[in-house]
Amino acid sequence: MEKIKEVLNKFDMEYVEDYKPTWVKAKLKNKDDITKVVEALKEIGVRSCSTVSPTDYPEENRMEINYFLEDIENKKNVWLKVDIERDLEKCEIDSITPILESADYHELESYSTFGVKFKGHPNLRYFLISADYYGKFPFRKDFDWDEHEKNVIENVNKISEEFFEEYEENEETMGHEGSRTVLHWGPTHPASGPIRLKVYTNGENIEKVEPDIGYVWRALEKLAERKDFIGTIVAVERICFMDNTNPMICYAQAVEEIAGKEITPFAKYMRVILGELGRTVSHLISLGGFFGTMGLQTFLMWCLDVREYFLDVLEDYSGARIATACIEPGGVRYPLNDYKAWFAEIDKAIEKWESVKPDIEDIFLKNPLMTVRAKDIGIFTKDDVIDNYLQGPIARASNVKTDVRLDEPYAAYGELKMDYVTCENGDTRDRLYIIYKEINQSIDLMKQAMKKIEEGIEAGEMDPKKDHLVKMPRRMPEGEAVSRVEWARGEMLMHLVTMPKSTNPYRLKLKAPSVNHTRMLEKLLPNHTLSDIPLLYGSMHICQGDLDR
Amino acid sequence: MLFQISEKMLRVLKAWTEPRIATKDVVKEPAHKSPIFRGRHVVRYDICTGCDACNKICPVDAIKMKPLPLKRPNKIPEVNLAICIFCGLCEDVCPTKPEKAIKLAGGDIEMITDGTHNALDNFWVRVEVPEEWIEQKKREEEEKARKRAEMMAKKKAEAEAKKKAEAAKATENKEAPENKGEEK
Ligand code: SF4
Ligand code: SF4
């Protein structure tokens, strides 16, 4: 910490201050210094860029860029701000991608949504939005959505025509050298989900891959600005339907921090249970989906069967199975009227999982065919993980000890017993094993939290019928907060900005892990064959919902 | 080896004795139904106060307020189910007690349309308010209004009477000293 501050203080800063135990917050005066600062920080170990988040202030004619930089190994993070001008011609800053490559896609995103030009970016292009996007830069405060919509409806045929042209066959013969073809993998491939990979192949060898994303872009960050503080939960929970609860925890924490409210211990433990339920539900799909990408759907069906039991639990608590909307600022949304019955339901789901575990291990995890295909390919080293900022299970499969639940304990994780679960090799098979291990860890955490709640109720310290919510102010004070949770697929970070006496968020940046994982495909897939794409892709556990947002 | 094989065969054979699970018609009866399942809304026109809170909080603008020719409720919510995301926030904010005037919990799960555009346009929770009820309510309201008017009139009359009395008193009082003066 001290070292980081020392380095930052060498530059011309408006302020350098501590923020939470693991963050240093600083504001740079001169935007031309940015590359030098980042270089200096990289030298002392801050090697990963979590995200880049601009905030638009039209009245003051400035755009504030927030960089979130992390030192994964030593758990020290830097929140660096810098102001730039807002006018489109002058809205530019030096790119940090040449120094920290994990900033790549995040800078592209800021460029496409806010129009911030990053000078020196290796390939600055429109991302998420298409090149002919009417009006440009949809997250700026003065963007006219009605006008945009009108234009799209008028020109829809022209737009789709261009899209078809791009899909036309593209082949080049090279005599005895083979032939070069551009293949479009997805967006309708059974294993792909709504993403398109442009795969440049020579024969069946992959030479280059370009992900084309944005098929499920819903502009959630902008959508949140139109809703009130409670209504925003339905926007953030739609980041991805698989792990539905954790994004709401992240958002609720940010709001509570700005309002200066502390939630009850009961709500904290409930958040642990609900968060782990979300993680389990998501991991069960990942686990089955891994085999699904190899063409074996049986295991997927098994996993979905177990998942139903966990969804029953969510339904019993919140009244919905997938989009639960069950966590709101101030605690958790519903009281637990009959906690014994609900815990019994959880136990039933856990029992179901335990009953299929021996078969899963025998038939699938030790499966010789899977081992042949997945062992020792697609290995990520520790440096790969840190430089490209791979997160969550992917990082832990490569034996990198990172987990927000332990690094920056939130909810009640600080009071529970847990440790980093890791695998040794970081190959494709390990990225399957880690998921299996994490489900078991989640179930252990759920059991611990249930026990704590039971003890609390018996001791008369918790009241499950009343303690679920604390009252939140109707209007928020001015403020800014960063909140992180360990989501099923990695670190989720939200940056919330509010105005004085506001009823809705001024800016909500959602950062989700699939962005970096998709970027990693560019490096992972070349030099493999076409038949490896589904497997390697499946092993990254990418979800387009959180990739596009 | 032989033992292992027979063990596995046994395990497979055991599957025969497992109960057949697919004996339920899930269209009619769900495999699992929570008593608070958020399904189709029920709107109670008789307790709704027309406060507009549900309409204001709905994050997707699925609620449209239908005007009524009454003072209270002067409008009641109708929900477009093709837009609604079943978040339940409208139920949370509804201020009526003890029962909520708009309610999803325990609601209907059978919400199937044939999926054509026309069908989606008509996929609404409509509230049929019986004419008699409106008439009765109107009468009640008129009654109330009349009573209030009467009360007001009465009060006014009383107040005026009081004023007059006071004024009279004042004049009396005024007159009194004069009288006294005269007497003196
Ligand atoms: S359930 Fe949610 S989306 Fe549906 S009408 Fe109520 S507030 Fe609106
Ligand atoms: S249903 Fe409830 S919230 Fe909606 S207008 Fe009626 S009383 Fe108000």
Side-chain angles (χ1 to χ4, degrees):
Chain A
M1 272 313 126
E2 291 312 313
K3 219 166 161 193
I4 290 179
K5 276 199 220 158
E6 208 175 281
V7 168
L8 289 175
N9 274 326
K10 277 189 208 144
F11 296 90
D12 196 8
M13 293 283 174
E14 232 174 274
Y15 56 80
V16 177
E17 59 191 35
D18 283 320
Y19 173 72
K20 293 192 181 168
T22 50
W23 288 85
V24 176
K25 182 174 166 183
K27 180 150 188 178
L28 192 62
K29 268 191 193 152
N30 187 352
K31 69 171 185 180
D32 297 332
D33 283 344
I34 186 76
T35 47
K36 282 184 222 134
V37 176
V38 174
E39 248 162 28
L41 285 172
K42 190 181 178 183
E43 257 162 43
I44 56 166
V46 185
R47 283 163 64 192
S48 316
C49 171
S50 178
T51 193
V52 180
S53 153
T55 313
D56 188 10
Y57 296 99
E59 290 92 47
E60 297 163 46
N61 191 25
R62 70 187 171 104
M63 187 80 84
E64 188 179 70
I65 318 266
N66 297 274
Y67 291 93
F68 300 98
L69 311 171
E70 300 187 8
D71 179 351
I72 300 174
E73 280 179 296
N74 301 314
K75 328 290 177 205
K76 288 179 199 146
N77 311 321
V78 184
W79 175 4
L80 191 62
K81 290 159 163 281
V82 59
D83 278 342
I84 62 173
E85 270 179 79
R86 191 175 175 277
D87 293 339
L88 271 179
E89 289 88 56
K90 290 187 203 144
C91 186
E92 52 184 23
I93 189 167
D94 288 330
S95 165
I96 62 165
T97 306
I99 310 163
L100 302 178
E101 50 179 323
S102 44
D104 183 356
Y105 274 18
H106 299 283
E107 288 192 339
L108 290 181
E109 206 182 302
S110 305
Y111 172 55
S112 315
T113 51
F114 281 93
V116 181
K117 273 191 223 78
F118 290 93
K119 282 186 292 181
H121 188 285
N123 184 7
L124 197 63
R125 61 187 186 276
Y126 289 117
F127 198 62
L128 287 176
I129 63 171
S130 55
D132 55 4
Y133 192 87
Y134 180 80
K136 291 272 162 40
F137 314 131
F139 288 180
R140 284 186 164 231
K141 288 280 170 194
D142 47 12
F143 183 77
D144 190 345
W145 287 93
D146 296 331
E147 198 57 33
H148 170 76
E149 215 155 275
K150 222 171 88 195
N151 187 274
V152 170
I153 291 169
E154 273 167 16
N155 295 320
V156 69
N157 284 335
K158 203 175 122 231
I159 294 170
S160 53
E161 200 55 47
E162 278 171 16
F163 188 72
F164 284 129
E165 269 166 32
E166 215 186 305
Y167 262 91
E168 265 170 22
E169 204 175 327
N170 200 343
E171 191 163 347
E172 181 192 334
T173 49
M174 301 187 296
H176 292 296
E177 298 286 295
S179 69
R180 189 169 289 133
T181 316
V182 184
L183 284 175
H184 298 281
W185 192 81
T188 49
H189 188 280
S192 71
I195 182 177
R196 174 171 65 138
L197 299 181
K198 270 170 133 180
V199 187
Y200 296 74
T201 58
N202 178 355
E204 67 161 0
N205 296 322
I206 302 168
E207 288 183 338
K208 194 171 96 179
V209 172
E210 273 176 19
D212 174 27
I213 73 169
Y215 287 85
V216 282
W217 182 65
R218 294 147 293 167
L220 285 180
E221 293 172 16
K222 189 77 188 176
L223 217 53
E225 291 170 16
R226 293 191 185 183
K227 302 194 189 299
D228 52 22
F229 281 105
I230 292 181
T232 304
I233 60 170
V234 304
V236 296
E237 75 168 341
R238 275 164 178 71
I239 287 180
C240 171
F241 78 95
M242 299 213 274
D243 180 356
N244 157 275
T245 46
N246 281 313
M248 287 184 280
I249 298 182
C250 191
Y251 165 72
Q253 280 175 180
V255 177
E256 283 149 15
E257 190 186 321
I258 291 179
K261 291 272 178 182
E262 177 79 14
I263 63 170
T264 61
F266 171 72
K268 283 185 182 168
Y269 283 112
M270 279 302 285
R271 281 189 181 175
V272 171
I273 297 181
L274 290 168
E276 295 307 320
L277 277 170
R279 190 182 323 278
T280 312
V281 164
S282 163
H283 277 0
L284 281 167
I285 295 188
S286 297
L287 198 63
F290 185 88
F291 278 84
T293 58
M294 291 197 290
L296 179 74
Q297 306 295 342
T298 317
F299 188 38
L300 182 57
M301 288 301 145
W302 282 29
C303 289
L304 291 184
D305 182 26
V306 179
R307 181 170 172 265
E308 287 302 310
Y309 285 77
F310 286 98
L311 293 184
D312 286 350
V313 175
L314 283 176
E315 186 192 331
D316 274 349
Y317 174 65
S318 68
R321 299 173 80 79
I322 306 279
T324 57
C326 62
I327 292 163
E328 64 177 50
V332 288
R333 195 162 147 213
Y334 296 97
L336 202 54
N337 288 326
D338 186 354
Y339 75 95
K340 286 206 174 109
W342 194 58
F343 286 177
E345 197 74 20
I346 298 181
D347 286 335
K348 197 171 122 198
I350 293 176
E351 217 170 87
K352 172 74 187 175
W353 166 247
E354 301 287 345
S355 75
V356 294
K357 249 166 76 175
D359 283 351
I360 290 182
E361 278 176 17
D362 272 4
I363 303 173
F364 296 105
L365 299 186
K366 292 182 194 152
N367 190 317
L369 195 63
M370 185 274 288
T371 304
V372 169
R373 287 203 56 187
K375 194 162 180 274
D376 293 336
I377 71 164
I379 298 177
F380 294 140
T381 61
K382 203 170 188 172
D383 285 335
D384 284 340
V385 168
I386 293 174
D387 287 338
N388 296 292
Y389 197 14
L390 307 179
Q391 301 143 55
I394 314 280
R396 291 192 286 272
S398 301
N399 206 0
V400 177
K401 291 200 164 69
T402 163
D403 189 331
V404 182
R405 289 173 292 176
L406 287 157
D407 303 342
E408 198 181 292
Y410 58 93
Y413 284 107
E415 287 141 54
L416 302 177
K417 272 195 228 76
M418 66 180 290
D419 203 1
Y420 298 100
V421 286
T422 50
C423 285
E424 291 299 320
N425 307 322
D427 59 5
T428 306
R429 194 176 62 162
D430 274 354
R431 292 199 284 281
L432 171 71
Y433 285 173
I434 194 86
I435 295 285
Y436 179 71
K437 284 187 184 177
E438 283 190 16
I439 296 181
N440 291 329
Q441 187 197 31
S442 288
I443 284 175
D444 177 49
L445 286 170
M446 267 185 247
K447 283 183 183 161
Q448 289 185 41
M450 285 197 291
K451 202 154 157 250
K452 293 266 186 187
I453 291 184
E454 262 166 10
E455 282 170 10
I457 292 173
E458 268 157 33
E461 287 159 7
M462 295 178 189
D463 184 350
K465 289 182 192 158
K466 287 208 197 87
D467 278 358
H468 61 289
L469 267 183
V470 295
K471 204 155 170 48
M472 297 293 283
R474 288 192 71 134
R475 289 179 175 274
M476 287 289 154
E478 182 176 12
E480 221 178 331
V482 172
S483 149
R484 293 201 296 164
V485 299
E486 182 71 19
W487 196 42
R489 270 166 254 109
E491 175 211 48
M492 170 164 282
L493 181 145
M494 289 193 193
H495 171 218
L496 177 69
V497 184
T498 57
M499 287 285 136
K501 292 204 184 129
S502 53
T503 51
N504 49 353
Y506 184 76
R507 159 100 173 119
L508 179 65
K509 167 76 192 174
L510 313 169
K511 179 256 165 176
S514 288
V515 179
N516 288 8
H517 295 167
T518 305
R519 178 174 177 275
M520 200 57 199
L521 292 175
E522 288 178 10
K523 297 187 176 172
L524 176 65
L525 292 178
N527 303 325
H528 287 97
T529 57
L530 276 179
S531 54
D532 283 331
I533 297 182
L535 179 69
L536 290 173
Y537 175 84
S539 81
M540 298 299 285
H541 309 299
I542 289 167
C543 165
Q544 286 73 28
D546 79 85
L547 168 63
D548 294 350
R549 278 156 285 128
Chain B
M1 181 71 181
L2 210 62
F3 175 71
Q4 271 180 354
I5 291 176
S6 48
E7 197 191 7
K8 279 191 181 150
M9 270 173 72
L10 253 179
R11 210 155 77 196
V12 174
L13 281 175
K14 239 180 26 198
W16 286 102
T17 62
E18 289 277 308
R20 303 288 101 177
I21 301 168
T23 49
K24 270 186 185 170
D25 183 355
V26 287
V27 178
K28 303 239 162 52
E29 186 193 354
H32 177 93
K33 189 175 181 206
S34 145
I36 57 164
F37 180 81
R38 300 201 296 254
R40 190 205 293 257
H41 305 60
V42 177
V43 179
R44 292 268 306 267
Y45 60 84
D46 49 339
I47 51 177
C48 175
T49 62
C51 68
D52 210 24
C54 49
N55 184 17
K56 271 193 208 125
I57 197 149
C58 179
V60 290
D61 294 341
I63 294 183
K64 208 169 156 216
M65 300 304 278
K66 169 175 154 180
L68 286 186
L70 290 173
K71 282 222 184 66
R72 194 183 141 116
N74 59 358
K75 48 192 185 302
I76 47 169
E78 290 194 322
V79 185
N80 186 346
L81 292 175
I83 297 178
C84 174
I85 54 174
F86 302 96
C87 62
L89 289 173
C90 48
E91 180 178 339
D92 279 11
V93 294
C94 183
T96 59
K97 268 179 194 162
E99 212 174 317
K100 304 270 185 187
I102 188 167
K103 205 168 163 222
L104 300 81
D108 201 348
I109 57 155
E110 274 181 61
M111 286 178 280
I112 300 170
T113 68
D114 47 14
T116 59
H117 203 72
N118 283 345
L120 284 180
D121 274 349
N122 290 319
F123 199 35
W124 283 73
V125 173
R126 299 276 183 204
V127 190
E128 295 301 333
V129 188
E131 280 299 319
E132 302 96 68
W133 188 81
I134 293 187
E135 286 304 314
Q136 196 198 334
K137 197 86 181 170
K138 254 189 194 164
R139 249 180 282 131
E140 270 173 27
E141 255 168 25
E142 267 164 27
E143 185 83 354
K144 241 188 215 164
R146 216 192 60 227
K147 267 193 187 151
R148 197 176 298 140
E150 263 175 24
M151 282 278 274
M152 289 296 275
K154 222 172 164 187
K155 259 191 193 158
K156 220 175 170 184
E158 263 174 22
E160 255 167 36
K162 220 176 175 181
K163 234 189 210 164
K164 253 185 202 162
E166 260 167 28
K169 232 184 195 171
T171 44
E172 250 175 41
N173 282 353
K174 237 189 219 167
E175 275 163 17
E178 275 171 25
N179 287 348
K180 268 178 200 167
E182 263 174 36
E183 262 176 29
K184 268 184 189 176

